[in-house]
Amino acid sequence: MLTTRMMAPSFALRPFVWSYGHTQGVISGQPLRVPLPARPKQVLMFFFQDRYDVHRHDTAGHGTGHGTGHGETSPRSMVAGPQTFYQLDLAILGIVDVFTIHFQPAGFHHLFGTPMCELTDASYDADGVIGVHSTVLRQRLSSVSTFEERILIAEKYLLRRVRARGDLDQVAREANRLFASNGTCTVARMAARAELTERQLERRFLVQVGVSPKLYSRVVRFSAALDRKLNSPGTSWTDIAHDFCYYDQMHMVHDFRDLAGDSPTRFLGRIN
């Protein structure tokens, strides 16, 4: 059985980091299979015990296939960018001890300077993306065992990065606002607040976040709708479609098919 805890960052880091996560437990016998639909956040992951096997589907239909795909073992430290369709399953087996840093939409780009379009729909060994920083941070995190201790180490490191890199620009702030609104801000409104043309906003958004504002909005809304159902199973899909400003339930079903490879009910059944 696995237990996952989440904790918000300190106030100074909230414009850059959404949350920290800690997953621990033991899976014996058959691997636990976890489908990964589209998701908006960039994540830095550190594995201290057994690692996950990642199975990639045939992506020709953007995630519509459900084959087992080719599997490979995740690196000890991994960076995953925003995902815009269902392409991966995780197979989890053995002793699990994983610490994760979930960034705000432009947080990883701001702190490390990586063009996020290079990480979209991809994951890489963190050593190859942020260099020796990844190795040093992982060593420090592995020297302690509790969630709280690891957060303190991560915060100390990330606060140094913030001081070196300075404040977010207006595009990054608009990306944070879009994420916090569950994808309901329009591109025109965001561009007006940033005092940019829509085309200028889109170009800078692509570099800092990894996808266009319109697609990011769609992924954020889908992810929020799925989280609502997982956290509140008794809420009807009709109510969820209304709460997240879909035109109707079929509009939501269409997004689920594009972003999760299946209808809402069928995909939820696969998660459960």
Side-chain angles (χ1 to χ4, degrees), residues 12-26:
L13 281 171
R14 288 178 189 174
F16 314 94
V17 176
W18 178 75
S19 184
Y20 302 105
H22 206 220
T23 300
Q24 293 181 308
V26 177

Side-chain angles (χ1 to χ4, degrees), residues 9 12-19 40-44 79-82 101-116 119 129-130 157-169 171-177 179 204-210 216:
L13 281 171
R14 288 178 189 174
F16 314 94
V17 176
W18 178 75
S19 184
K41 292 189 290 292
Q42 306 104 19
V43 183
L44 181 56
V79 176
I101 304 173
H102 303 254
F103 292 89
Q104 293 281 11
F108 190 87
H109 168 78
H110 185 80
L111 295 178
F112 298 102
T114 305
M116 291 310 300
L119 298 182
V129 178
I130 60 177
Y157 169 75
L158 292 170
L159 284 169
R160 286 199 303 269
R161 301 293 301 179
V162 169
R163 288 191 288 269
R165 303 288 293 187
D167 294 333
L168 296 176
D169 68 10
V171 172
R173 288 194 288 270
E174 286 301 322
N176 283 359
R177 183 179 281 122
F179 180 75
R204 291 172 59 177
F205 201 97
L206 186 64
V207 172
Q208 295 190 36
V209 180
Y216 192 73

Side-chain angles (χ1 to χ4, degrees), residues 53-72:
D53 283 340
V54 181
H55 293 263
R56 188 175 301 274
H57 293 269
D58 177 5
T59 58
H62 273 207
T64 56
H66 303 302
T68 57
H70 175 69
E72 56 187 40

Side-chain angles (χ1 to χ4, degrees), residues 48-266:
F48 305 107
Q49 294 286 345
D50 293 319
R51 292 173 282 170
Y52 300 160
D53 283 340
V54 181
H55 293 263
R56 188 175 301 274
H57 293 269
D58 177 5
T59 58
H62 273 207
T64 56
H66 303 302
T68 57
H70 175 69
E72 56 187 40
T73 301
S74 62
R76 289 290 180 188
S77 306
M78 182 174 73
V79 176
Q83 307 296 306
T84 64
F85 60 98
Y86 167 54
Q87 61 171 325
L88 301 174
D89 284 342
L90 298 181
I92 305 173
L93 184 65
I95 302 172
V96 177
D97 185 10
V98 183
F99 180 77
T100 53
I101 304 173
H102 303 254
F103 292 89
Q104 293 281 11
F108 190 87
H109 168 78
H110 185 80
L111 295 178
F112 298 102
T114 305
M116 291 310 300
C117 49
E118 297 179 2
L119 298 182
T120 302
D121 294 319
S123 60
Y124 298 102
D125 190 322
D127 291 355
V129 178
I130 60 177
V132 68
H133 299 284
S134 169
T135 303
V136 172
L137 182 56
R138 186 185 177 282
Q139 289 172 346
R140 291 174 180 170
L141 291 169
S142 66
S143 69
V144 299
S145 59
T146 70
F147 190 22
E148 291 76 13
E149 289 172 314
R150 286 173 176 168
I151 288 174
L152 289 175
I153 290 171
E155 291 253 319
K156 184 177 180 180
Y157 169 75
L158 292 170
L159 284 169
R160 286 199 303 269
R161 301 293 301 179
V162 169
R163 288 191 288 269
R165 303 288 293 187
D167 294 333
L168 296 176
D169 68 10
Q170 188 59 36
V171 172
R173 288 194 288 270
E174 286 301 322
N176 283 359
R177 183 179 281 122
L178 177 61
F179 180 75
S181 74
N182 292 325
T184 59
C185 294
T186 66
V187 176
R189 188 181 304 168
M190 292 168 61
R193 283 195 296 253
E195 299 182 340
L196 298 169
T197 66
E198 291 186 26
R199 186 65 178 271
Q200 288 171 329
L201 175 74
E202 289 176 358
R203 284 199 299 265
R204 291 172 59 177
F205 201 97
L206 186 64
V207 172
Q208 295 190 36
V209 180
V211 295
S212 70
K214 185 175 180 180
L215 178 55
Y216 192 73
S217 174
R218 192 178 174 204
V219 172
V220 167
R221 179 167 60 174
F222 154 78
S223 183
L226 178 59
D227 285 347
R228 170 71 66 82
K229 187 65 173 178
L230 291 172
N231 294 325
S232 181
T235 305
S236 71
W237 285 116
T238 300
D239 287 343
I240 290 173
H242 178 267
D243 290 347
F244 290 97
C245 301
Y246 286 99
Y247 296 124
D248 53 33
Q249 190 169 341
M250 285 308 300
H251 180 203
M252 183 180 68
V253 170
H254 176 75
D255 265 12
F256 264 75
R257 291 192 184 281
D258 280 353
L259 302 175
D262 219 330
S263 69
T265 300
R266 285 171 59 91

